[in-house]
Every structure is written in structure tokens, then in C-alpha cells.
């Protein structure tokens, strides 16, 4: 076991997969010699060579096309989009192409591609670096969307994503890259995609969340605990498809739930979680399922992040509304 | 103009660039060899095979239009007029080469090994139409104009990494050349010196929009300059010129010298697609007459007849064979099982996620009734 930050755990997972499978290729803008703008691919080109880890021209759509084409030639591409909001340049490659390859060829061709990309607020990035646009891709049939919140999860989920024979979007929250260390096992292990994790057990209220909001929710749960409320925190880990069984089991136990996301209320995936709870366990509910989300504006100018981004206080407030309903 | 001794002559630079892209022709409209130095090395048998494929494909187009009108085919983009551009470029390929066709490039797929019945199922909108046979290196026709170009760069890079002596070839139209992905595709392939052949079939119209409204560039071939790769403009109604250009591009590519852009000047005699497009709204009769005189089949027929290796009887044999095989292909397509929702679910993922698995059970139940 080693103490790792999330970025180290990601780097470790990439190294393990490069070693494990000669078809794994990493590419993107500045991922080679430079080791990536966040050092996620640090040292990998030196260890595995330019044939396996290489830089691309500055064009996200072209990177998407490269991933499709290399996938058709039997490679297992792991491209990087430098910041996730740049994915708009490659929307067709992701939603129009990669996600549909198996289907439109009736299974003849596949797209075993894992797109890695950083996103998320709280670090004062310039415009269009931090946007939470996972909801757009969660709505894309054929695509899985994974968002880890801890170094341990990041490693196991990334290895599982790379080994998946269908396309996966692996979204890395920038604020979580180096915010804390955790024990991460050496060597390979996987975490099944589509499986949530109960990060804290409780009996009075379920918080369903993902990404940086997992940590805000855990902090809120501690505060609520002091006031005598036992809160369960479910980290979805995969936001498409969502782990309905884990959510339902928790809500049936607690009878109350809130869904917490960093994305705007009209975006993200919280509405889908609410709908599933409503479909499947409305008779267990003591109160409506409320959402904590950002305002429906464009992602804030950096100096306005602190008043805009949802935080643990918002979560406590909404949790109390549901508890006291 | 203070401080500048002379105007920088950008106009002269542009003219100098345009002069580099002269149309390459080997056979003129009368079927006469006007450029013997470029004559490709093809045997009489190969020349006849190429002619047979062109005639066959002309019949396929006529029959497809008619079957579409009868409601026995769905989406169909006519190909008549583009036989030299499509089939002579394909004839320059080898089996191991990988084709990324656009939606009008069904003939190249067929001659690369996709059975007619599957092409017909693709037209009708049946998933079996995209299940290319194992060993046939063809991606299903691309509807998103330009996407095939960036994907082609990826396939070609894959081939280079594998060290295989093969190329990836892709096709778009004159309108497609305005897309960002077309530039990105050529530029990526250039940056990686990947074995790709990019063909732009310039039939002068993107639905109703004439090529002059796509760009102020005098040729599309010169767009290769932006990627730093060779560009060739050929008479796309001349099968020998198209073959020679493609073969040259292939040789360069498999020798590790990188990609080539080939612009073929061609024409579609029919509408854009069979979905209600009416070319008389945007094309003059004079223009159509002018291009009909350039018919690739007419000039190639004259060339082969003058060599004494082609006659009406041979051509009729091909026409009859085409009609027979098309009839048979339609029959096989008719026999394909109707698609069920569970079929569509089965081809989404290797392993169904929870939501699909749940819906699968619901539809399985519905389908059992």
C-alpha cells in the first residue's frame, strides 16, 4: 500500500495498463514528453516510448477521430481532452461516432476507448475549463460516464474503464487531483463500472452524489451527525448508467433522500436520480427528494466561484428541509 | 503605407499556388490517350474488369433509383457519372486496404467485398446492413460529412504502427471540403505521415449549393497545402487518370511517405438523394449536357473498343449479370428477419448495463406475445 493523491493513482493505473496490454495507447495535447498539464501522464512516454504515449496536434475533433480509427485497428486508445469543456469540439466524435460504433455495425466493429478529461470548479480556472457537462454524455446511449472522487476509486475505475470494450468517459475533478492522499493498493485491481459506493452509512437520510460533492456531502453529514441526524452518503462513481439497486436499498432504509451535484440544476444527472427514486420507492418516502445544484447560469467567472458552487452548507440546509418536511 | 517600401504581393502568391494544381487527364472525351507518359500499367484483362465494374455500377444505380421509387429501397444517393471517380480509385486498392466511405460511396464498398444484399439492407435501415463481413475492411457509410476524414487519419496511423503495408482511403464531396474535420483529418495524417488517401469527389454541387459558394479557392486539391501534403486534381470522368493518381498515392503511402489529397472533377447525373431533391432547381440543362458528354463510361468504351478488347456483346453480358445479381440481392434482403427492439439492445454493449438489461426483459415479454 502507498499513500497516493488522485493524480498519482491515475498515473499508476495508466502505467499498469500500458504494461499489461500492448494495444493501450495514450495520446492528447502535451501528454507525451511534458507528462500532461496536470502530470497525469508523467514519465509514461519515457518508460513506454513515443509509439505508445504521444502528443497530437491541437484539435479535439481530430483526437476523437484518431481514437475511432485506432480502435478500428485493434488498439485500445486512451485519449485525453485537456479540459472537458473543450469536448464541444469533439461532440460528434463522442456522441455521434464512438458511442454508436458497435450498434451501427451490428457488433462488427467496437470502440474500446477511454477518454480522460479534467473538469470541476473551485480552482479558479479560466473560462470553459471547469464546466460540469457530464449530463450531456449521460444522455448518450452507448456511452458510460465515470467520475471518481478518491484516489482508490480513481485507480480501480480507470483500469476497469480501459479494459471495458465499449467507450467510457472518465472525468477527473481538478480540485480532487491533489487535495488529499489515501492508501491505494499497489498493482492492479478493478472496480466494476456502474456500481456505487456507500461512503458513509446512516439511517435518517440518503445523500446521493458524485465528484467533488462527495466530500462536501461527507462534511455535511458530519455536521448533521452533531445535531443527531444519521446520514448515508452514496458516491455514484458511475453517473451513466447509475447504480439503481444501491440507491433504492438506501432510500428504502432511510425514507428520505437528497441528490447533490456541482452542475447547474437544469444539467447534471440529479433529475434522473430523483425520477428513478420516484419510480421505484415512492411508498418508502417520508418527504420529497430535493436537489442541491448550482444556479442555472453559465459557470461563474473565477472570482465568483465561492458564492456560486454548491458547498456543504447548502447540503446541510437542504438535508434539514427534507428531514423537517 | 508609411514605412513600407513595396506592397507585399499576396495575390501573386495565391496565383502561383493555384498554378501548381493543373487537372491531370489521360483519356479525353473521345477516349484518346492525351498523356501517354502517365498511362498506368494495366493489362487488357484489368482494363476490361474496370470497365465491367463501371457498367455494372451504372446498372446498379439505375436499378436502385427504380427500386427506391417502388419503395423497395430506402435512403439512396445516386452515383451515375461518378463511376470513374469511385471505381477506378477503388481499383487501385488492395484487399488489405481499409475504406471509410461517405454516404454516396456504396459502390466502393461493394467492390471491396460487401454483398449487394447488405448494401440494400443498409439503404432500408436494417442493422445487418452494417455488419460488414469479417475480413472485408470497410466501415459503414458515414452520414456525418467530414467524420470519415478524421477517422481515416486514425486508421492510417494504426496501420503505420502495426507496420502493415496498407492504406486507409476515404471519400467526401466538394461541400464536405468546407468541414473542419476534413482539414483536421488531412492535417493529422500529415503530422504523423500516416498512409492515408483522402479523395474529394467534386461534383460541383452540395445539394443545391455550387462549389463556388463553398470556397474562394480555385481548386480543392490546393487545400492539401494547408496540411503540408501533396494534392492532385484529376479529371474525375477519366478512369485512367483517377486510377493513376490513386495508385501513385498508394505507393507513396505504403513507402512511408505520408498521405495524399486527390480531387476528382466529376458530376452526378441524378439528384443529390432520392429524398425529394430536384436538380432542375439549381442546375441548368446546358451544364448537364456539358457533363453528359464527359461520361466516363462512354470515353472508356471508345478507348477499349479502339484497342479491340470490348464490344456491345461483352457489355450486354455485364448488364444482364448485374440485373440478375441485383434481383437476387433484393430477394436475400427481403428474407432478412424483421428487427426487434431486443436486437437493437443486444448490439449496444458487450455487456448490457442495468437500465438496458431491465428494458430488455420488458421488450422480450412484449415480443413473445
Amino acid at each position: 500500500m502507498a499513500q497516493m493523491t488522485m493524480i498519482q493513482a491515475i498515473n499508476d493505473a495508466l502505467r499498469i495498463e500500458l504494461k499489461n496490454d500492448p494495444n493501450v495507447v495514450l495520446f492528447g495535447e502535451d501528454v507525451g514528453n511534458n507528462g500532461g498539464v496536470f502530470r497525469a501522464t508523467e514519465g509514461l512516454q519515457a518508460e513506454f516510448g513515443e509509439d505508445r504515449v504521444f502528443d497530437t496536434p491541437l484539435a479535439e475533433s481530430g483526437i476523437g477521430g484518431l481514437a475511432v480509427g485506432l480502435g478500428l485497428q485493434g488498439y485500445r486508445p486512451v485519449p485525453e481532452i485537456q479540459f472537458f469543456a473543450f469536448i464541444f469540439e469533439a461532440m460528434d466524435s463522442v456522441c455521434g461516432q464512438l458511442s454508436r460504433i458497435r450498434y451501427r455495425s451490428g457488433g462488427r466493429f467496437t470502440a474500446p476507448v477511454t477518454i480522460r478529461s479534467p473538469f470541476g470548479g473551485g480552482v479558479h480556472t479560466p473560462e470553459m475549463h471547469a464546466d460540469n457537462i457530464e449530463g450531456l454524455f449521460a444522455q448518450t446511449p452507448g456511452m458510460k460516464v465515470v467520475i471518481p472522487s478518491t484516489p482508490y476509486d480513481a485507480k480501480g475505475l480507470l483500469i476497469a474503464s480501459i479494459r471495458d470494450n465499449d467507450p467510457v468517459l472518465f472525468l477527473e475533478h481538478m480540485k480532487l487531483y491533489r487535495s488529499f492522499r489515501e492508501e491505494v493498493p499497489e498493482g492492479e485491481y478493478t472496480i466494476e463500472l456502474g456500481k456505487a459506493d456507500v461512503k458513509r452509512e446512516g439511517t435518517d437520510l440518503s445523500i446521493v452524489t458524485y465528484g467533488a460533492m462527495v466530500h462536501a456531502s461527507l462534511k455535511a453529514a458530519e455536521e448533521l451527525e452533531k445535531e443527531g441526524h444519521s446520514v448515508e452518503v452514496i458516491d455514484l462513481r458511475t453517473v451513466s448508467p447509475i447504480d439503481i439497486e444501491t440507491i433504492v436499498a438506501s432510500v428504502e432504509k432511510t425514507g428520505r433522500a437528497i441528490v447533490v451535484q456541482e452542475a447547474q440544476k437544469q444539467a447534471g444527472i440529479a433529475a434522473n436520480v430523483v425520477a428513478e427514486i420516484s419510480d421505484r420507492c415512492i411508498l418508502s418516502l417520508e418527504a420529497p427528494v430535493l436537489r442541491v445544484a448550482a444556479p442555472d447560469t453559465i459557470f461563474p467567472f473565477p472570482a465568483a466561484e465561492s458564492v456560486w458552487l454548491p458547498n456543504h452548507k447548502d447540503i446541510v440546509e437542504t438535508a434539514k428541509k427534507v428531514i423537517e418536511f | 503605407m508609411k514605412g513600407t517600401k513595396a506592397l507585399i504581393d499576396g495575390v501573386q502568391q495565391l496565383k502561383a499556388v493555384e498554378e501548381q494544381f493543373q487537372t491531370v487527364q489521360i483519356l479525353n472525351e473521345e477516349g484518346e490517350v492525351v498523356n501517354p507518359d502517365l498511362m498506368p500499367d494495366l493489362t487488357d484483362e484489368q482494363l476490361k474488369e474496370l470497365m465491367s465494374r463501371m457498367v455494372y455500377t451504372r446498372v446498379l444505380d439505375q436499378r436502385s433509383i427504380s427500386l427506391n421509387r417502388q419503395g423497395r429501397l430506402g435512403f439512396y444517393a445516386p452515383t451515375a457519372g461518378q463511376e470513374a471517380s469511385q471505381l477506378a480509385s477503388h481499383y487501385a486498392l488492395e484487399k488489405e486496404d481499409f475504406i471509410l466511405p461517405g454516404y454516396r460511396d456504396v459502390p466502393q464498398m461493394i467492390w471491396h467485398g460487401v454483398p449487394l444484399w447488405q448494401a440494400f439492407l443498409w439503404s432500408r435501415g436494417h442493422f445487418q446492413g452494417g455488419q460488414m463481413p469479417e475480413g472485408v475492411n470497410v466501415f459503414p457509410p458515414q452520414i456525418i460529412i467530414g467524420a470519415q476524414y478524421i477517422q481515416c487519419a486514425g486508421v492510417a496511423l494504426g496501420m503505420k504502427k502495426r507496420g502493415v503495408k496498407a492504406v486507409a482511403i476515404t471519400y467526401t464531396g466538394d461541400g464536405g471540403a468546407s468541414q473542419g474535420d476534413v482539414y483536421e483529418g488531412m492535417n493529422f495524417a500529415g503530422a504523423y505521415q500516416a498512409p492515408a488517401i483522402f479523395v474529394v469527389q467534386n461534383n460541383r454541387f452540395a445539394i443545391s449549393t455550387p462549389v463556388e459558394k463553398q470556397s474562394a479557392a480555385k481548386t480543392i486539391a490546393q487545400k492539401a497545402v494547408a496540411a503540408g501534403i501533396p494534392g492532385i486534381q484529376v479529371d474525375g470522368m477519366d478512369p485512367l487518370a483517377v486510377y493513376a493518381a490513386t495508385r501513385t498515392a498508394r505507393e507513396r503511402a505504403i513507402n512511408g511517405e505520408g498521405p495524399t489529397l486527390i480531387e476528382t472533377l466529376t458530376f452526378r447525373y441524378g439528384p443529390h438523394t432520392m429524398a425529394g431533391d430536384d436538380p432542375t432547381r439549381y442546375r441548368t440543362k446546358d451544364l448537364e449536357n456539358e457533363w453528359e458528354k464527359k461520361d466516363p463510361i462512354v470515353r472508356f468504351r471508345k478507348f477499349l473498343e479502339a484497342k479491340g478488347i470490348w464490344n456491345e456483346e461483352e457489355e450486354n453480358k455485364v448488364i444482364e449479370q448485374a440485373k440478375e445479381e441485383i434481383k437476387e440481392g433484393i430477394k436475400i434482403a427481403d428474407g432478412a428477419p424483421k428487427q426487434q427492439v431486443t436486437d437493437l439492445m443486444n448490439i449496444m454493449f458487450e455487456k448490457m448495463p442495468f437500465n438496458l438489461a431491465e428494458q430488455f426483459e420488458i421488450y422480450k415479454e412484449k415480443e413473445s406475445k
Side-chain angles (χ1 to χ4, degrees), chain B residues 102-116:
Chain B
Y103 54 77
R104 201 180 300 281
D105 303 310
V106 173
Q108 296 96 303
M109 289 169 36
I110 291 169
W111 291 109
H112 214 52
V114 176
L116 275 178

Side-chain angles (χ1 to χ4, degrees), chain A residues 134-135 137-139 143-147 192-197 208-210 234-248 259 261 268-280, chain B residues 352-358:
Chain A
E134 66 280 4
F137 302 88
Q139 289 203 13
M143 185 63 61
K144 297 191 188 93
V145 185
V146 174
I147 304 182
E192 194 184 340
L193 304 187
K195 289 280 177 240
D197 182 41
V208 183
T209 186
Y210 58 99
I234 296 171
D235 179 357
L236 285 174
R237 300 197 293 199
T238 300
V239 301
S240 181
I242 55 173
D243 180 355
I244 288 167
E245 284 175 358
T246 301
I247 296 168
V248 166
V259 188
Q261 66 181 20
I269 56 111
N272 185 33
V273 177
V274 175
E276 292 289 352
I277 293 172
S278 159
D279 280 358
R280 293 167 196 273
Chain B
M352 267 188 221
F354 177 84
N355 53 331
L356 260 187
E358 192 177 71

Side-chain angles (χ1 to χ4, degrees), chain B residues 4 9 34 61 99 102 123 127 159 164 173 175 188 192 201 261 265 276 303 312 333 364:
Chain B
T4 306
D9 198 348
V34 294
D61 184 68
I99 305 177
S123 163
F127 75 89
M159 288 169 161
V164 295
F188 269 60
Y192 293 122
Q201 303 188 82
L261 167 64
L265 298 175
F303 168 73
E312 203 181 334
K364 203 170 84 180

Side-chain angles (χ1 to χ4, degrees), chain A residues 4-10 148-151 154 172-173 176-177 180:
Chain A
M4 284 189 191
T5 61
M6 190 157 102
I7 199 89
Q8 289 169 332
I10 288 165
S149 71
T150 68
E172 304 164 3
H173 200 292
L176 302 180
Y177 267 156
F180 66 100

Side-chain angles (χ1 to χ4, degrees), chain B residues 65-279:
Chain B
I65 287 172
S66 151
L67 288 160
N68 168 282
R69 292 203 170 115
Q70 295 162 35
R72 299 188 71 199
L73 282 182
F75 176 81
Y76 182 70
T79 59
Q82 297 192 189
E83 291 85 356
S85 173
Q86 296 183 319
L87 303 170
S89 63
H90 177 263
Y91 201 60
L93 305 179
E94 304 294 336
K95 194 172 164 45
E96 54 271 28
D97 295 338
F98 195 104
I99 305 177
L100 295 103
Y103 54 77
R104 201 180 300 281
D105 303 310
V106 173
Q108 296 96 303
M109 289 169 36
I110 291 169
W111 291 109
H112 214 52
V114 176
L116 275 178
W117 64 268
Q118 276 191 298
F120 294 149
L121 282 181
W122 182 78
S123 163
R124 287 178 178 181
H126 192 298
F127 75 89
Q128 289 184 350
Q131 282 175 330
M132 302 312 177
E134 210 52 55
V136 175
N137 299 321
V138 173
F139 206 41
Q142 183 57 253
I143 295 292
I144 301 303
I145 295 169
Q148 69 273 35
Y149 262 54
I150 47 174
Q151 294 169 1
C152 180
V155 173
L157 180 59
M159 288 169 161
K160 183 179 178 176
K161 285 179 170 299
R162 294 272 186 230
V164 295
K165 291 265 180 203
V167 300
I169 187 169
T170 188
Y171 297 82
T172 192
D174 41 296
S178 303
Q179 289 276 7
D181 279 352
V182 166
Y183 168 66
E184 288 187 27
M186 294 192 294
N187 188 57
F188 269 60
Y192 293 122
Q193 288 295 289
I197 302 174
F198 298 103
V199 182
V200 175
Q201 303 188 82
N202 176 0
N203 64 24
R204 306 194 51 78
F205 288 90
I207 307 190
S208 66
T209 306
V211 67
E212 292 77 15
K213 291 201 172 148
Q214 295 293 343
S215 172
K218 276 267 162 45
T219 69
I220 292 174
Q222 78 196 62
K223 296 193 176 205
V225 174
I229 66 174
I232 306 170
Q233 186 188 63
V234 293
D235 179 349
M237 307 301 260
D238 170 0
L240 297 181
V242 173
Y243 177 87
T246 317
R247 198 68 194 171
T248 307
R250 191 178 186 280
E251 290 297 317
R252 284 193 67 251
I254 61 171
N255 289 328
E257 293 164 54
T260 303
L261 167 64
I262 300 171
E263 176 190 10
T264 64
L265 298 175
T266 183
F267 202 74
R268 60 168 155 85
Y269 295 141
H272 165 67
T273 68
M274 295 304 293
D277 177 48
D278 171 14

